[in-house]
Every structure is written in C-alpha cells, then in structure tokens.
Amino acid sequence: MQKRHKRLLVALLMLFGLSLLVPGAIAIFHPEPAGLNTQMADQANQFRALHGMMAGLGVMACLACYRIERERTLVIGIGLTLALVVAARVYSLFSEGVPDWPTLFYLVIESILALIFLRYPPPADNTGALLD
C-alpha cells in the first residue's frame, strides 16, 4: 500500500469517525435536536439507539486507522453504509424537498467519502491466504 494512499484513507476515516463519534455520543445523553419533538418514551429510545449506532460506526472508523492494511472489509463496509445514507438523502430530496445548505453539504461529503472508500479501499492482502 502506498504511503499517500494509506495517509489519505487514515485521514478520511479518522475525520469521518470523529465526526460521528463526538455528536453521536453527545446525543445519546441529549437526543432531542432543535425542532424535533421526542416526547414519547419510544421515540426517545429510538433516537438514542440511532445516535448510539452513529457513535459505534465512528468508533469502527477510528479503529480501522490503526491497522488499515488489514481492514479492507471494514473500509468497504463503511463505504457501503455511506452509499446507503446518500441514497436515503437523495430519496428524501425528491420526497420531502430540498433541505438547507448544511444538509446538502453533508450529502456531498458523504458521497465523496463513499466513492473513495468503495473505489480505493486498502489492497487485498494475499500473504496469509493459505494457513497451514
């Protein structure tokens, strides 16, 4: 794996991971974003769980940085997850309308990250393919 490729993946994974981990962990304890009413216990529970999953994905992205050469499957999985998020956001554009610019900015960033993680994951390691 080239150093430039490795540095790019590590930097993007760490940026992505921290951008999910920090707000996800904070929202676990304060799940009510501005303008969203979560009065029912079931709704509050669902939002906390979603924020917990968001924080968990952030942790996985950060942990992948430490052994990036061996984390091809995890990087591809993160890319696929981002591709699904992008698909959901695009569908929402057509069904609910165009959101504010920060949400559109997230859509662009998530699209770029999904493409990079899916198109340029760490190379497959064939050295340990056959274990005696």
Side-chain angles (χ1 to χ4, degrees), residues 3-13 116-117 120:
K3 284 187 179 184
R4 188 175 357 154
H5 182 206
K6 181 178 178 178
R7 286 182 187 147
L8 175 67
L9 283 178
V10 167
L12 291 176
L13 282 168
I116 291 172
F117 293 156
Y120 305 106

Side-chain angles (χ1 to χ4, degrees), residues 33-67:
L36 184 61
N37 188 0
T38 57
Q39 293 178 352
M40 297 177 60
D42 289 341
Q43 289 175 334
N45 185 285
Q46 287 299 320
F47 281 111
R48 285 183 202 274
L50 288 172
H51 287 109
M53 284 190 277
M54 185 171 101
L57 183 60
V59 168
M60 289 189 300
C62 290
L63 289 176
C65 295
Y66 292 105
R67 296 180 3 166

Side-chain angles (χ1 to χ4, degrees), residues 29-103:
F29 301 104
H30 304 285
E32 190 172 347
L36 184 61
N37 188 0
T38 57
Q39 293 178 352
M40 297 177 60
D42 289 341
Q43 289 175 334
N45 185 285
Q46 287 299 320
F47 281 111
R48 285 183 202 274
L50 288 172
H51 287 109
M53 284 190 277
M54 185 171 101
L57 183 60
V59 168
M60 289 189 300
C62 290
L63 289 176
C65 295
Y66 292 105
R67 296 180 3 166
I68 190 73
E69 295 87 0
R70 295 180 178 219
E71 300 296 345
R72 177 180 172 83
T73 304
L74 182 55
V75 172
I76 291 171
I78 291 170
L80 288 172
T81 301
L82 280 168
L84 290 171
V85 169
V86 168
R89 286 191 190 272
V90 169
Y91 177 77
S92 182
L93 284 174
F94 292 109
S95 63
E96 278 87 39
V98 178
D100 291 337
W101 71 268
T103 304

